[in-house]
Amino acid sequence: MGGAVSAGEDNDELIDNLKEAQYIRTELVEQAFRAIDRADYYLEEFKENAYKDLAWKHGNIHLSAPCIYSEVMEALDLQPGLSFLNLGSGTGYLSSMVGLILGPFGVNHGVELHSDVIEYAKQKLDFFIRTSESFDKFDFCEPSFVTGNCLEISPDCAQYDRVYCGAGVQKEHEEYMKNLLKVGGVLVMPLEEKLTKITRTGPSAWETKKILAVSFAPLIQPCHSESGKSRLVQLPPVAVRSLQDLARIAIRGTIKKVIHQETVSKNGNGLKNTPRFKRRRVRRRRMETIVFLDKEVFASRISNPSDDNSCEDLEEERREEEERTPPETKPDPPVNFLRQKVLSLPLPDPLKYYLLYYREK
């Protein structure tokens, strides 16, 4: 599934293409997609395909096409502080993007059938927290993953504001999925070959919207134990943050406000995104075509009907274009002002590193 937009040369160009094709339509979703590089969730030997609008699967590891994730993120209508359940959480790519929007007081849970994929997701999450420059630009709701079949969730589990299922849901499981939602909640899932958005408008009232045709592998049915009983999946408890953690969130938030105010005072118009480096388009040169027939030259050149200019005219046009085009340089790497501020505080080093989540520079 995928191939709806052109491939990009990097993550930003892929997002540009998704925006142009109207798969990404809101600023929050765009920011989340730009903050997490899709290639980071690929195995090294497959990264050349990361910016194509195609699904990828290797063993149990799977990523849906970017156009599908875009539609899912838009349909979920995410907001800070909501609770989110990802059924078939896979690599954690989607859960991490969702966590950037939910913020520190949201809930971000995932259920994944394969334990090796859970381990892979935890490695990718750790890499993002330790190394990504985007981490300090957001207040992150870190996802928690549990192993199990999402059709065996304990009936006494809490309900969620937002639920996504990343596998094809059979019609007989539709009610089961709906019951995972709070009133006012949104469920997005592939149902009968359609990506479907279901909103719970009341205790027994629902609104259903078909988004687009999709093709997903179906949910794997539960395997019962020898006793005939299913293995119930216990979702993570809703964690109560410690006072120390709340203090860290508050201090980081205060520093970000100071940085924003300083930027407003300096620029007069608030924070701006770093201008993206645009590659200059290269003019294609005319090609001389040699045609061989029976090892002899049949024609030294095949002319193009539109090729009326001489080589001198083309060369002059090229020089004029170069004169009109200003020299291009890549922008300087972005400065992590939050990190600079924290490190400049008159605090013991261990406390500074705690405020920075012990992240690498």
Side-chain angles (χ1 to χ4, degrees):
M1 189 68 199
V5 302
S6 301
E9 293 189 19
D10 56 26
N11 195 66
D12 273 324
E13 192 168 311
L14 173 63
I15 308 313
D16 289 342
N17 295 339
L18 291 167
K19 278 189 67 180
E20 185 178 354
Q22 289 294 300
Y23 284 99
I24 293 178
R25 300 179 288 277
T26 59
E27 185 177 355
L28 274 179
V29 172
E30 178 187 352
Q31 289 174 350
F33 268 88
R34 291 197 190 279
I36 298 183
D37 195 321
R38 181 176 167 89
D40 289 342
Y41 289 79
Y42 274 67
L43 293 170
E44 192 65 37
E45 59 267 33
F46 299 103
K47 284 191 174 182
E48 70 273 9
N49 296 318
Y51 307 123
K52 297 176 182 178
D53 186 33
L54 297 172
W56 172 65
K57 182 173 174 61
H58 181 78
N60 292 327
I61 302 170
H62 175 263
L63 280 167
S64 293
C67 68
I68 300 299
Y69 282 136
S70 303
E71 288 287 6
V72 169
M73 289 281 286
E74 292 288 357
L76 285 170
D77 189 22
L78 297 162
Q79 301 167 33
L82 295 180
S83 56
F84 171 68
L85 178 61
N86 189 354
L87 304 175
S89 51
T91 64
Y93 172 64
L94 178 68
S95 292
S96 293
M97 287 195 293
V98 169
L100 297 175
I101 298 176
L102 296 183
F105 304 112
V107 174
N108 194 355
H109 293 163
V111 180
E112 170 57 43
L113 183 63
H114 304 288
S115 58
D116 60 323
V117 180
I118 289 274
E119 186 59 33
Y120 185 86
K122 289 179 177 178
Q123 292 173 6
K124 295 303 180 183
L125 175 62
D126 179 66
F127 180 80
F128 169 73
I129 292 174
R130 286 188 299 105
T131 66
S132 175
E133 288 292 336
S134 298
F135 181 83
D136 284 334
K137 298 177 183 177
F138 294 83
D139 294 316
F140 187 51
C141 181
E142 184 175 336
S144 298
F145 306 112
V146 296
T147 307
N149 190 306
C150 66
L151 293 175
E152 297 180 304
I153 294 174
S154 176
D156 59 355
C157 78
Q159 293 176 315
Y160 290 79
D161 297 302
R162 301 291 185 267
V163 177
Y164 170 65
C165 182
V169 177
Q170 295 87 348
K171 189 67 177 176
E172 60 265 29
H173 298 307
E174 181 179 356
E175 289 301 316
Y176 170 89
M177 294 292 177
K178 288 179 176 180
N179 288 329
L180 297 172
L181 273 186
K182 294 179 181 179
V183 173
V186 173
L187 164 66
V188 178
M189 62 181 178
L191 181 65
E192 297 181 314
E193 302 298 313
K194 293 285 196 309
L195 188 64
T196 305
K197 175 180 180 178
I198 299 176
T199 304
R200 187 169 195 171
T201 58
S204 57
W206 316 85
E207 289 182 358
T208 301
K209 177 184 177 183
K210 304 292 185 182
I211 300 173
L212 78 164
V214 292
S215 177
F216 277 66
L219 281 173
I220 295 176
Q221 301 303 305
C223 295
H224 295 288
S225 63
E226 293 179 1
S227 63
K229 295 181 180 180
S230 61
R231 306 176 184 89
L232 292 181
V233 176
Q234 300 295 333
L235 294 174
V238 177
V240 178
R241 290 188 177 273
S242 67
L243 183 59
Q244 185 178 8
D245 195 18
L246 291 171
R248 174 167 59 179
I249 293 168
I251 292 170
R252 286 169 64 93
T254 300
I255 295 173
K256 287 180 182 180
K257 289 179 181 177
V258 171
I259 294 170
H260 177 74
Q261 290 168 356
E262 290 176 351
T263 307
V264 170
S265 300
K266 182 178 179 181
N267 299 335
N269 55 359
L271 290 171
K272 290 185 176 180
N273 291 328
T274 303
R276 293 193 44 229
F277 173 70
K278 297 290 185 181
R279 299 174 181 80
R280 184 164 62 88
R281 295 185 181 275
V282 179
R283 175 182 294 275
R284 294 182 181 274
R285 294 185 177 181
R286 183 180 58 193
M287 295 183 64
E288 299 291 332
T289 305
I290 307 296
V291 178
F292 291 90
L293 184 63
D294 293 332
K295 299 182 181 181
E296 295 182 3
V297 176
F298 177 74
S300 61
R301 180 174 181 273
I302 295 180
S303 62
N304 188 321
S306 61
D307 184 19
D308 297 329
N309 295 327
S310 65
C311 292
E312 291 79 6
D313 292 337
L314 289 173
E315 183 64 24
E316 183 178 352
E317 184 180 345
R318 183 186 64 79
R319 284 198 300 268
E320 289 176 355
E321 181 178 346
E322 288 180 351
E323 291 173 0
R324 290 193 302 267
T325 305
E328 295 177 351
T329 57
K330 289 188 177 181
D332 295 330
V335 178
N336 190 330
F337 293 108
L338 177 66
R339 185 181 187 88
Q340 287 185 350
K341 287 283 188 184
V342 170
L343 293 177
S344 68
L345 293 174
L347 298 172
D349 284 347
L351 184 52
K352 292 179 184 179
Y353 295 130
Y354 175 76
L355 290 172
L356 293 171
Y357 288 87
Y358 305 102
R359 300 181 66 243
E360 299 173 6
K361 186 174 179 181

